[in-house]
Amino acid sequence: MNRSSYCMVIDGQTVATDENIAVVNPATLEVIATVPDCSQLQLDAAVTAARRAFPGWSATSIEDRRQVLVTLGDILLAETEALAGLLTSEQGKALAEARDEVVSSAEWLKGVATLEMPVTVSEDTPDRRSTTRRRPVGVVGAIVPWNYPLILAMFKVGPSLLAGNTIVLKPSPFTPLTTLRFVELANEILPPGVLNLVTGGDALGPWMTEHPAIDKIAFTGSTATGRRVMASGAATLKHLTLELGGNDAAIVLPDVDISRVASELFWAGFRNSGQMCIGTKRIYIHADIYEPLSHAIVEYARTVVVGNGAQEDVQLGPINNKAQYERVLAIVQDSRDNGHRFLVGDEPVDAGPGYFIPVTILDNPPENSRIVQDEQFGPVLPLLRYDDLDEVISLVNASEYGLAGSVWSADEALARSVAERIESGTVWINETQYLSPLAAFGGVKQSGLGVEGGMEGLIDCTVAQTIVQRHLPAGAAGAAHGAVA
Ligand code: NAD
């Protein structure tokens, strides 16, 4: 697909602007396309279209909406190769990863389509029947970051549509193209106004969070921006889902099979070049196996190919954008300045003009160092030596973040007891990053508010309505009517 200019999708129509934003391929630094820089009036038009579409869409049956999600999933599957190529060109990730993101996005929509909308009967007596059902919240403003642009959009689109909401979707200005193409295709089967997409620069997100006719903001991004979204949404009392940053830890117990876990721990930290909210950001390894396991991870790391993700043999692409590239370089420099030992990553990577950073692994830097405390969000990983399990659990929990984490051990019962002590929204045992559309996913502490995924995520796209129905005594209907009259 060699298009160079894209339009927004508002009310089922393509909409252009005079002002445009350039989208850059982070591997080559070439401008690959432009997208509109949405004006405030155009955002108003998108919100108005979504409002207008809401009564009709919310009145469709949930069975019809399930079918729509399945069809949207099929559309993604049919377009996998084209969308994956586009995703790699704007995001930088390896083609295999991009394909995986498109296919997982399709599976996500199809999985969400199977969710049941709960109805709670809190009282059912001869006197009254009291039920709580869920109604759609209205117009959802969905705001998405650049690391997993398509699937993070689907985390919002799937449950929002199933619940009967209409949507104004805003991708990151760094990665708008794949999502835009999906929304174009989706509008071939959706009624106009149900799913709108706007693109723009720094002003657009705040316009959405303060917009009086948007009922809910579903936001994924950094914790700092999440706080701004929450503050801005206060004026109109918006419903909010905030999926924010993390500093996920892996705790590796001394009984693991080193040869099996080494590569899995590597990918836990380096998938998508470390640009993953649920990427492992620090690995605590028991002292008894620290030397052999760190050696095995480093040996594996030396085999991994970094380069332009469009080349089939490449496993890790560049950092997505200049600001993040400079942030990660500053974290690496901090480690250099503080004399941390580099196990691998001291040499620059020769992969072209883009935002490339070599796979970098640090040997037991101090707990209070920047690389351990910050969310690095890049291909730089500290390995940390521990002796005492209680102590390491308190170090893990000392973080302001609480997104996810993992425990690695041959003893499943022990691993589970450790997992239950970790203060985060998700803990994996002997794996990482497995997400299901049927399970709640979300952060605690400074990692977020509310959840996406599962019945809980669907509920977060709705408001509750309780209907309390008093049963009249037999023959009392006329009398009651008379009393009012
Ligand atoms: P970001 O917060 O800079 O931007 C996210 C989105 O918000 C973008 O679309 C951006 O244009 C928009 N935005 C920026 N300022 C805004 C404002 N004031 N009001 C409204 N919208 C605004 O994040 P990023 O750099 O794109 O993504 C990286 C961050 O996202 C990392 O911290 C990562 O951990 C986090 N993340 C979290 C999850 C999760 O599920 N918890 C998933 C992926 C990424």
Side-chain angles (χ1 to χ4, degrees):
M1 184 178 313
N2 279 324
R3 279 167 67 182
S4 61
S5 78
Y6 287 75
C7 293
M8 301 187 285
V9 181
I10 296 176
D11 208 11
Q13 306 291 318
T14 52
V15 175
T17 47
D18 294 334
E19 300 295 318
N20 289 289
I21 294 174
V23 182
V24 171
N25 180 328
T28 62
L29 304 190
E30 287 162 358
V31 173
I32 49 172
T34 60
V35 292
D37 190 2
C38 184
S39 70
Q40 207 159 1
L41 278 178
Q42 287 168 323
L43 174 65
D44 284 345
V47 177
T48 303
R51 282 240 83 84
R52 206 168 35 235
F54 176 67
W57 180 249
S58 57
T60 57
S61 76
I62 192 164
E63 296 313 320
D64 286 350
R65 298 197 296 268
R66 283 186 209 290
Q67 192 48 52
V68 166
L69 291 192
V70 171
T71 308
L72 292 178
D74 287 336
I75 287 174
L76 282 172
L77 291 178
E79 293 290 320
T80 299
E81 275 311 300
L83 290 172
L86 194 56
L87 181 54
T88 291
S89 71
E90 64 174 340
Q91 205 286 328
K93 63 184 64 192
L95 257 182
E97 274 282 320
R99 284 189 195 106
D100 188 44
E101 183 169 344
V102 178
V103 172
S104 301
S105 297
E107 286 168 355
W108 198 270
L109 292 178
K110 290 176 181 232
V112 168
T114 67
L115 291 170
E116 291 299 333
M117 189 68 86
V119 176
T120 314
V121 181
S122 51
E123 187 175 335
D124 193 8
T125 63
D127 293 333
R128 71 178 53 74
R129 180 175 165 85
S130 188
T131 51
T132 302
R133 66 177 185 126
R134 313 298 313 189
R135 309 179 68 200
V137 68
V139 175
V140 174
I143 301 180
V144 183
W146 46 259
N147 59 336
Y148 282 87
L150 187 65
I151 194 157
L152 293 175
M154 295 312 109
F155 279 19
K156 297 158 183 24
V157 167
S160 296
L161 289 184
L162 185 65
N165 300 296
T166 56
I167 303 172
V168 177
L169 171 60
K170 188 197 91 61
S172 165
F174 298 114
T175 53
L177 304 180
T178 315
T179 317
L180 219 164
R181 181 67 191 131
F182 164 74
V183 171
E184 285 176 352
L185 293 166
N187 269 268
E188 290 175 10
I189 65 149
L190 288 169
V194 170
L195 176 58
N196 309 273
L197 182 141
V198 290
T199 51
D202 291 348
L204 184 55
W207 289 340
M208 288 174 70
T209 57
E210 65 199 28
H211 202 293
I214 291 181
D215 301 288
K216 170 181 169 160
I217 293 288
F219 173 83
T220 301
S222 63
T223 297
T225 311
R227 291 194 185 104
R228 282 183 218 119
V229 168
M230 192 168 181
S232 164
T236 49
L237 223 57
K238 292 230 184 316
H239 291 254
L240 288 177
T241 308
L242 301 176
E243 298 286 0
L244 308 179
N247 191 10
D248 292 8
I251 301 178
V252 187
L253 276 65
D255 60 359
V256 294
D257 174 347
I258 289 175
S259 60
R260 191 181 61 78
V261 299
S263 62
E264 294 188 13
L265 286 168
F266 173 86
W267 287 113
F270 286 94
R271 194 165 168 212
N272 205 29
S273 298
Q275 303 164 106
M276 191 176 200
C277 60
I278 49 172
T280 300
K281 311 280 179 356
R282 42 192 176 138
I283 301 186
Y284 291 93
I285 302 173
H286 192 273
D288 287 356
I289 55 161
Y290 184 84
E291 294 303 333
L293 180 54
S294 57
H295 179 76
I297 294 172
V298 168
E299 285 307 297
Y300 183 82
R302 292 190 201 283
T303 69
V304 171
V305 182
V306 178
N308 183 336
Q311 294 160 9
E312 285 284 358
D313 63 324
V314 163
Q315 292 165 286
L316 291 178
I319 297 293
N320 171 258
N321 58 76
K322 188 159 185 268
Q324 183 61 17
Y325 177 63
E326 286 171 353
R327 212 183 139 262
V328 179
L329 287 182
I331 290 175
V332 174
Q333 189 57 41
D334 180 81
S335 280
R336 247 187 223 113
D337 293 346
N338 286 289
H340 301 160
R341 183 161 171 256
F342 285 60
L343 292 171
V344 64
D346 241 352
E347 299 290 314
V349 61
D350 181 18
Y355 302 126
F356 292 101
I357 293 182
V359 166
T360 304
I361 299 179
L362 298 167
D363 181 20
N364 204 28
E367 182 63 30
N368 64 1
S369 58
R370 196 168 163 199
I371 182 60
V372 180
Q373 294 300 319
D374 273 18
E375 185 196 34
Q376 64 270 46
F377 223 65
V380 189
L381 187 66
L383 306 183
L384 301 150
R385 184 193 293 260
Y386 79 89
D387 290 294
D388 182 74
L389 193 54
D390 290 336
E391 200 180 315
V392 82
I393 292 171
S394 43
L395 289 178
V396 168
N397 287 339
S399 173
E400 63 166 355
Y401 294 114
L403 189 56
S406 58
V407 184
W408 301 73
S409 170
D411 182 340
E412 287 192 27
L414 174 60
R416 193 177 170 97
S417 73
V418 174
E420 285 172 0
R421 293 171 63 192
I422 294 178
E423 296 165 0
S424 66
T426 301
V427 188
W428 291 279
I429 295 172
N430 292 322
E431 65 177 339
T432 52
Q433 298 156 6
Y434 177 83
L435 296 179
S436 159
L438 308 183
F441 168 71
V444 300
K445 303 200 281 188
Q446 300 300 299
S447 288
L449 203 68
V451 294
E452 291 179 328
M455 193 211 279
E456 294 85 351
L458 186 59
I459 287 174
D460 271 8
C461 296
T462 65
V463 288
Q465 182 184 51
T466 298
I467 295 182
V468 182
Q469 184 167 12
R470 180 183 170 202
H471 299 310
L472 297 175
H481 183 73
V484 172

